[in-house]
Amino acid sequence: MNKGLFHLSGISSIALHAADNNNAEFAHITPIFATSTFTFDTAEQGMERFAGSDKSRIYSRWGNPTFTAAEKTIAALEAFGLTDKTGNSLQLKAILHSSGQAAMTTLFLSTLQSGDAVLSHYSLYGGTHELLHKVLAENNINVIIADLRDLHTVKEIVSKNNAIKLIHIETPANPTIQCVDIEAVTNIAKEKNILVSVDNTFATPYLQQPFKYNVDFVFHSTTKFLNGHGTAIGGVLLGKDIELMNTKVWKWHVLLGGNSNPFDAFLLSNGLKTLELRMQRHCSNAAIVANYLAQHPAVEKVNYTGLTSHPDYAISKKQMKHPGAVMSFELKGGLDSGKKFINKLQMCVRAISLGTVDTLISHPASMSHKGVSKEEREKFGITDGLIRLSVGIENIEDIINDFEQALQ
Ligand SMILES: *Cc1c(COP(=O)(O)O)cnc(C)c1O
């Protein structure tokens, strides 16, 4: 473990060494602490733990050493190289949840109450869209959706609505790979003391660190690239206001009961170790696949921000190290050709989700965005023929060969 003598210089070192692994048995790898509760030696010790004077564990819904290992690693990755207002290394608090949806619920419910409004944009993850429109809207929280790439509109909406307490950005967004300028929107929000949260699931801290632009919260579905192997569902919420994270946000998390479990947290920690290596391969493969699709005569359109044809090419270049490994595309024959293509694939996997080591293909209109009406979907580019692709780390020749035979 790094004792603070020198600063670790890269994210693989951080991913491998940021979590403290002190344990009584000197296990090299953080153990799976499969325990619901933690013992007290005496009644007095129990009382001290509840009073907070003894910081040891009490109960796993409130935290567990296996969760903490993953939380510390993700916090260190999101804060890597960043400083706070006073020039010190940025400190972040991460809270691991049972799923991305649970982490998003904690985020929304701990920052918004009845009568407040939240501003977000088109083309969100299907579950986020439904949580906003079904759960929040039913509880008297006003959901305002706009194109947040249009900064004049953002300014106008924010100046007219004092009820807005949170701006939630997903960038790149699902599945059109739309990008929002995090810095520009956060600057507008900060003038009115509005909180900003960023769903960083598609980018991962390897490609994009939203805290660099002074946002308040970062969210991940750890189910995707952070776990990387498709072995567990999970979510994490990170915040830079440690006091707020330790009080209201933690309280809401604990009371809503969205805690992770030791086995899934262990799988996540294991996956995180190879984040940089995996992302490098995911990204280089994706660039080749996107260029291949863009020049293929059977392809109508490719949504990938590494192509200058994408409207958010410049924003993506500004705030991301690389365009990432998720893209979507449409074939010339629309839905019918799309279905034929998907059915002919021999190696790439037909499944929803993304960010796993193998290449996954899905059909948003009938799968991830089935809960969003056709009219709504089409407004933000999720047409019936759109295919989403999460490019894996297979040998690139095999991905291209599979596409080549399926496109014939
Ligand atoms: C998957 C996903 C979520 C939801 O996370 P779960 O782990 O499935 O609950 C939220 N946002 C994005 C961008 C996602 O891809």
Side-chain angles (χ1 to χ4, degrees):
M1 208 207 6
N2 186 274
K3 306 282 188 226
L5 296 175
F6 64 94
H7 286 290
L8 298 178
S9 67
I11 85 158
S12 283
S13 306
I14 298 281
L16 291 163
H17 298 289
D20 239 327
N21 188 28
N22 291 330
N23 64 83
E25 302 294 339
F26 303 98
H28 168 209
I29 304 301
T30 303
I32 301 170
F33 283 94
T35 184
S36 56
T37 196
F38 298 84
T39 58
F40 317 127
D41 284 340
T42 60
E44 288 77 9
Q45 193 184 50
M47 289 170 195
E48 279 167 21
R49 288 205 206 153
F50 271 88
S53 46
D54 174 347
K55 301 281 183 218
S56 308
R57 307 282 172 178
I58 303 175
Y59 187 56
S60 279
R61 179 154 49 77
W62 302 350
N64 172 297
T66 319
F67 307 170
T68 305
E71 289 168 340
K72 281 197 172 162
T73 304
I74 298 169
L77 291 171
E78 283 291 354
F80 175 60
L82 304 184
T83 50
D84 63 16
K85 276 181 282 188
T86 61
N88 293 316
S89 299
L90 181 67
Q91 299 299 308
L92 297 173
K93 162 92 180 173
I95 304 178
L96 192 63
H97 287 68
S98 57
S99 66
Q101 286 302 115
M104 194 71 86
T105 302
T106 298
L107 166 67
F108 288 153
L109 295 189
S110 62
T111 54
L112 297 164
Q113 55 186 36
S114 174
D116 288 345
V118 52
L119 173 61
S120 194
H121 53 86
Y122 298 103
S123 193
L124 292 168
Y125 176 73
T128 308
H129 178 94
E130 288 193 68
L131 186 60
L132 288 170
H133 289 89
K134 296 184 178 154
V135 180
L136 297 194
E138 279 216 358
N139 286 281
N140 196 33
I141 292 164
N142 188 12
V143 179
I144 306 169
I145 298 293
D147 186 346
L148 301 189
R149 294 171 301 180
D150 176 355
L151 298 174
H152 290 290
T153 305
V154 178
K155 270 188 200 149
E156 200 173 289
I157 293 173
V158 161
S159 66
K160 279 193 194 141
N161 291 273
N162 288 324
I164 297 174
K165 295 287 163 5
L166 177 73
I167 299 181
H168 178 70
I169 300 170
E170 182 183 319
T171 186
N174 218 318
T176 52
I177 324 300
Q178 170 192 298
C179 293
V180 171
D181 186 330
I182 303 170
E183 183 177 32
V185 171
T186 306
N187 285 344
I188 297 170
K190 290 298 139 194
E191 279 172 27
K192 295 209 57 180
N193 280 327
I194 297 170
L195 297 168
V196 178
S197 54
V198 175
D199 183 335
N200 205 26
T201 301
F202 274 38
T204 82
Y206 171 70
L207 295 177
Q208 169 174 283
Q209 290 171 281
F211 286 110
K212 184 174 170 187
Y213 306 110
N214 201 26
V215 307
D216 299 281
F217 301 100
V218 165
F219 162 95
H220 286 275
S221 164
T222 62
T223 312
K224 316 294 166 53
F225 289 103
L226 296 188
N227 170 297
H229 300 74
T231 52
I233 300 282
V236 69
L237 179 62
L238 300 109
K240 69 168 195 267
D241 182 342
I242 307 286
E243 174 68 16
L244 177 68
M245 290 302 288
N246 282 336
T247 51
K248 188 161 185 186
V249 177
W250 184 78
K251 197 88 199 161
W252 259 237
H253 159 67
V254 160
L255 293 175
L256 290 165
N259 57 281
S260 181
N261 69 79
F263 187 57
D264 287 356
F266 167 81
L267 292 170
L268 171 58
S269 284
N270 218 32
L272 282 166
K273 293 174 190 179
T274 54
L275 178 68
E276 184 175 39
L277 283 176
R278 285 186 285 108
M279 289 308 289
Q280 286 168 346
R281 176 74 161 238
H282 276 296
C283 289
S284 62
N285 277 358
I288 296 169
V289 171
N291 285 310
Y292 163 81
L293 287 172
Q295 58 72 45
H296 198 287
V299 176
E300 174 75 39
K301 182 182 182 186
V302 183
N303 296 315
Y304 172 73
T305 57
L307 298 171
T308 49
S309 58
H310 194 289
D312 303 329
Y313 172 82
I315 300 176
S316 154
K317 213 173 165 92
K318 171 189 170 188
Q319 61 196 18
M320 293 173 73
K321 198 182 282 175
H322 186 278
V326 186
M327 66 190 75
S328 56
F329 63 97
E330 182 144 4
L331 297 180
K332 282 198 174 128
L335 180 60
D336 279 344
S337 331
K339 272 199 247 173
K340 276 190 202 126
F341 166 76
I342 290 174
N343 288 337
K344 278 174 86 177
L345 288 168
Q346 293 179 10
M347 180 190 77
C348 299
V349 179
R350 287 169 284 270
I352 60 160
S353 199
L354 56 101
T356 61
V357 280
D358 48 353
T359 298
L360 300 185
I361 293 256
S362 67
H363 179 241
S366 68
M367 298 172 185
S368 56
H369 289 70
K370 197 169 164 32
V372 182
S373 73
K374 184 178 161 87
E375 194 201 343
E376 273 291 298
R377 269 200 280 116
E378 290 191 337
K379 243 195 261 172
F380 46 81
I382 308 179
T383 49
D384 285 341
L386 197 72
I387 297 167
R388 188 181 74 188
L389 171 64
S390 169
V391 179
I393 65 167
E394 295 96 341
N395 299 98
I396 186 62
E397 298 77 11
D398 294 319
I399 303 176
I400 299 292
N401 284 343
D402 200 11
F403 274 48
E404 189 67 22
Q405 63 82 22
L407 282 169
Q408 260 163 28

